[in-house]
Amino acid sequence: MAQRSEAPPARRVAVVGTGYVGLTTGACLASLGHHVQCCDVDRTKVERLSRGEVRIHEPGLGQLVREGIRTGRLEFTHCSTAAVRRAEAVFLCVPTPMAPDGSANLAQVESAVREVRDHLPADSLLVTKSTVPVGTAARLSELLDRRDVAVVSNPEFLREGLAVRDFLNPDRIVVGTASAAAARRVSELYARLEAPTVHTDSASAELIKYAANCFLATKLSYVNDLAELCERLGADIGGITECMGHDHRIENSFLRPGPGWGGSCLPKDTAALLHAAEAIGADLPLVRAAVEANRRHQRRVVDKVVAMCGGSVTGVRVGMLGLTFKAGTDDLRDSPAVAVAQRLAELGANLIAFDPALHGDEPGVPAGIALADSAYQVAKGAGAVLVLTDWPEFRDLDWPQMVGLAEKPVIIDTRNLVDPRVLERAGAVFCGTGRAPNRDSGEV
């Protein structure tokens, strides 16, 4: 991990919230030499973390937490007021879930500020790491009513499954505040990291996160639109996106087609930006179209399964490889795989799924989906098998065995993960995304 050679001064930092963003922020700041106290209202979780037990599926995070505890640079507490009393910077990393109208619900952010405002030291910093709409910094400044405490927007750009790497090797660090002194102090927290730092106003910093995520969502929907076109015209999306990725203006990230996009960020952030635009009488038709295209692509996956099963999935055992929204995480929030599964269940399919990150009774797994212990259990007796999450281990399965276990050799690879030649040799009837099926779809 590229870091500058000079040792920055160690600071006392408090992190409010130990979810995905909060725990990663706290552990990584401790690894940079700062003294960090993370607080959470869940006492059981605090006790677990204090023992170094991390239940978030994130490579490297557990190791960083245990190292921080061992060195004494990372502590956990359920008392936020105690955590902030000696802190030079307090990071707000609490959830901002989507409200029914699509806006970001700031109840937990505002509650955290009310709880700590009278306990913040003079000349400390209140840093919003949570994704919040434009105007939140101004709102929190009013709520604080503390001229001696600067509010700074410092959005996160962490990808699940790569969060530790993204934090310690960032593309950029964004610091939004009208105070040059506050901006400098927040920037110093990241002084060991080799990354460009963008100093801007708080409103722009708050909008940057939404702008970036909505662009990525639009890019993904566009690629899935192209994949549909390829299927209709007999072209291959793989060669097209490879060629597109060589163009430095486009690059190859977020150019892989799939069953749609989801997760904890893109659906929530597109909805929040659309709501914010609507609230001021503006419109974002491109973002709106990307959201609708995403829903349509999820429906297309279901239509493919129905077609490959002869026009109906009623009573058909459908095996699903993957339920999380992408590989490398155990997150089921707004997963396109779950959306597809729910629609198939409504159509009468009998569903069984395997995901390497899910074990036993998992919260978030919809009723009616049985969890298998292995991919081969999913295939046994199946009338169709779907590859829905891009776990690398699915590529290396014994596909002749998978096909042999199935009642019918129907494979729908929504991620184009498995080599078509392997499926062909295994005797599968299959189709991918953005490429022609190996045989006419229809009843097998």
Side-chain angles (χ1 to χ4, degrees):
M1 298 173 182
Q3 298 180 353
R4 295 176 184 170
S5 57
E6 65 267 23
R11 304 295 189 189
R12 291 196 171 274
V13 176
V15 176
V16 181
T18 60
Y20 199 88
V21 172
L23 188 58
T24 301
T25 297
C28 288
L29 286 175
S31 78
L32 296 178
H34 303 297
H35 299 282
V36 182
Q37 267 204 320
C38 293
C39 53
D40 199 288
V41 295
D42 187 335
R43 289 174 179 259
T44 302
K45 185 178 184 181
V46 167
E47 291 172 2
R48 226 175 29 236
L49 289 171
S50 297
R51 296 192 297 267
E53 298 176 13
V54 176
R55 296 191 178 179
I56 295 175
H57 188 93
E58 183 59 46
L61 183 56
Q63 181 181 349
L64 276 188
V65 168
R66 289 185 286 274
E67 178 65 13
I69 293 171
R70 187 189 67 78
T71 60
R73 290 195 296 265
L74 182 62
E75 300 175 274
F76 297 92
T77 178
H78 67 272
C79 183
S80 60
T81 56
V84 305
R85 282 196 182 106
R86 299 175 61 196
E88 298 169 69
V90 176
F91 283 79
L92 296 179
C93 301
V94 296
T96 54
M98 184 167 60
D101 63 358
S103 63
N105 185 336
L106 298 180
Q108 293 185 62
V109 174
E110 294 181 356
S111 176
V113 172
R114 291 189 184 95
E115 188 171 336
V116 305
R117 62 185 171 190
D118 295 330
H119 303 275
L120 294 170
D123 201 32
S124 61
L125 305 168
L126 185 67
V127 186
T128 55
K129 183 66 80 172
S130 302
T131 301
V132 294
V134 174
T136 300
R139 164 68 180 144
L140 297 186
S141 293
E142 293 178 0
L143 195 59
L144 269 180
D145 195 23
R146 293 274 304 267
R147 290 191 176 184
D148 60 333
V149 177
V151 177
V152 181
S153 178
N154 177 220
E156 53 86 13
F157 301 95
L158 306 179
R159 295 169 294 171
E160 292 192 37
L162 296 167
V164 170
R165 191 177 83 176
D166 286 347
F167 192 103
L168 297 176
N169 298 272
D171 294 324
R172 75 288 203 196
I173 297 166
V174 177
V175 180
T177 175
S179 167
R184 175 182 52 77
R185 290 170 62 194
V186 171
S187 299
E188 287 176 350
L189 294 171
Y190 302 97
R192 290 180 60 188
L193 304 180
E194 291 283 1
T197 300
V198 178
H199 290 167
T200 185
D201 60 277
S202 58
S204 298
E206 290 164 343
L207 186 55
I208 284 169
K209 176 64 182 293
Y210 289 106
N213 276 355
C214 288
F215 176 82
L216 295 176
T218 302
K219 189 175 182 181
L220 286 169
S221 284
Y222 175 65
V223 170
N224 278 334
D225 282 347
L226 283 180
E228 181 178 6
L229 192 62
C230 286
E231 291 173 17
R232 293 175 180 270
L233 297 177
D236 189 332
I237 189 65
I240 291 171
T241 53
E242 180 183 3
C243 189
M244 289 171 64
H246 286 300
D247 189 325
H248 70 275
R249 298 167 301 174
I250 299 174
E251 298 185 339
N252 58 13
S253 62
F254 285 76
L255 280 183
R256 292 182 61 187
W261 42 264
S264 62
C265 292
L266 298 190
K268 178 171 71 77
D269 292 352
T270 50
L273 194 62
L274 287 170
H275 179 273
E278 184 178 344
I280 59 172
D283 191 19
L284 294 170
L286 193 59
V287 177
R288 196 176 301 281
V291 172
E292 178 49 41
N294 192 51
R295 296 192 189 105
R296 184 167 55 81
H297 290 305
Q298 292 174 7
R299 294 194 296 267
R300 276 207 331 122
V301 172
V302 175
D303 291 343
K304 281 184 181 181
V305 178
V306 172
M308 295 287 283
C309 290
S312 174
V313 292
T314 301
V316 175
R317 179 181 170 93
V318 176
M320 297 176 296
L321 295 177
L323 280 178
T324 56
F325 84 96
K326 70 170 187 176
T329 178
D330 58 356
D331 199 340
L332 292 167
R333 287 175 291 181
D334 278 302
S335 170
V338 171
V340 168
Q342 288 174 323
R343 178 56 182 152
L344 287 171
E346 291 170 0
L347 294 175
N350 298 322
L351 304 176
I352 182 168
F354 171 71
D355 192 294
L358 305 179
H359 308 283
D361 295 329
E362 296 282 347
V365 177
I369 302 178
L371 282 184
D373 296 325
S374 73
Y376 300 101
Q377 187 179 344
V378 159
K380 188 174 182 180
V385 174
L386 282 69
V387 180
L388 288 166
T389 308
D390 52 342
W391 288 99
E393 45 263 60
F394 293 159
R395 182 186 297 113
D396 300 325
L397 290 171
D398 184 335
W399 281 99
Q401 182 181 353
M402 291 284 289
V403 170
L405 287 169
E407 180 179 327
K408 294 183 178 179
V410 175
I411 310 294
I412 297 99
D413 185 358
T414 70
R415 298 281 187 170
N416 294 342
L417 189 66
V418 186
D419 188 335
R421 294 168 296 183
V422 171
L423 295 177
E424 187 84 49
R425 288 195 296 268
V429 177
F430 66 89
C431 68
T433 300
R435 52 175 54 145
N438 67 325
R439 299 180 200 168
D440 292 336
S441 59
E443 186 169 6
V444 179

